[in-house]
Amino acid sequence: MDVALYEPDIPQNTAAILRTARCFHAAVHIVGPASFDLSDRAVRRAGLDYAASATLVRHLNWTSFAEAMAGRRIVLFTTRADTPLHDFAFHGDDVLLFGRESAGVPDAVHEASTARVRIPLAADARSLNLAVSVGIGLYEGLRASGTIATKGLA
């Protein structure tokens, strides 16, 4: 199971997501362009000791990402989804896609995703921080698909 970030806005969130994904043996795909420096040097600096061992894959744009993910399900996390996270049947090779902190994903990306899920929130809550959402989504996806055991997580 991998994580994909669509045109991320906030480098600190991306660094936290990189660390979280590394802890669960998941790759992070950045669907560009990001609104901050994604050079190897900048990633190492932001990711601290996890950057060297994390798997970060950069994609120029949505088209190149979609082509690279051919044959895999792209599961979009969005507040516009009808299916709550706990009712979705995850597969171990799913790619969990998260939108920009400021704007989510455009309608074309929303429609191109294989499935859409939402993290249930209190009725008066608007949204969660992106890094928190990724942590919740990745863990639940791994747990629900039975992938935790096969990844050797203790």
Side-chain angles (χ1 to χ4, degrees):
M1 190 166 293
D2 290 347
V3 171
L5 306 177
Y6 182 86
E7 298 183 1
D9 292 326
I10 302 172
Q12 295 87 345
N13 279 339
T14 301
I17 291 163
L18 190 63
R19 183 179 184 127
T20 298
R22 168 58 186 92
C23 289
F24 291 110
H25 299 293
V28 175
H29 298 262
I30 303 290
V31 181
S35 62
F36 52 87
D37 182 10
L38 266 176
S39 67
D40 289 339
R41 181 174 182 247
V43 169
R44 277 192 310 273
R45 188 173 185 194
L48 302 173
D49 55 334
Y50 282 81
S53 61
T55 302
L56 177 62
V57 183
R58 298 167 182 92
H59 302 272
L60 185 61
N61 54 35
W62 172 256
T63 302
S64 64
F65 170 74
E67 288 171 2
M69 296 300 111
R72 294 180 73 183
R73 291 193 323 173
I74 298 174
V75 180
L76 174 63
F77 279 69
T78 173
T79 57
R80 299 189 303 167
D82 293 326
T83 305
L85 174 68
H86 56 272
D87 285 345
F88 187 73
F90 286 95
H91 298 168
D93 64 344
D94 285 341
V95 179
L96 310 182
L97 175 63
F98 296 83
R100 296 177 69 183
E101 293 93 338
S102 63
V105 298
D107 289 340
V109 171
H110 193 275
E111 294 305 316
S113 299
T114 311
R116 288 155 291 285
V117 299
R118 65 178 168 76
I119 298 171
L121 302 175
D124 61 345
R126 187 173 51 95
S127 65
L128 290 165
N129 171 276
L130 180 62
V132 172
S133 295
V134 170
I136 292 169
L138 179 58
Y139 185 82
E140 177 58 14
L142 291 169
R143 186 205 63 78
S145 68
T147 309
I148 285 178
T150 63
K151 288 210 175 243
L153 303 175

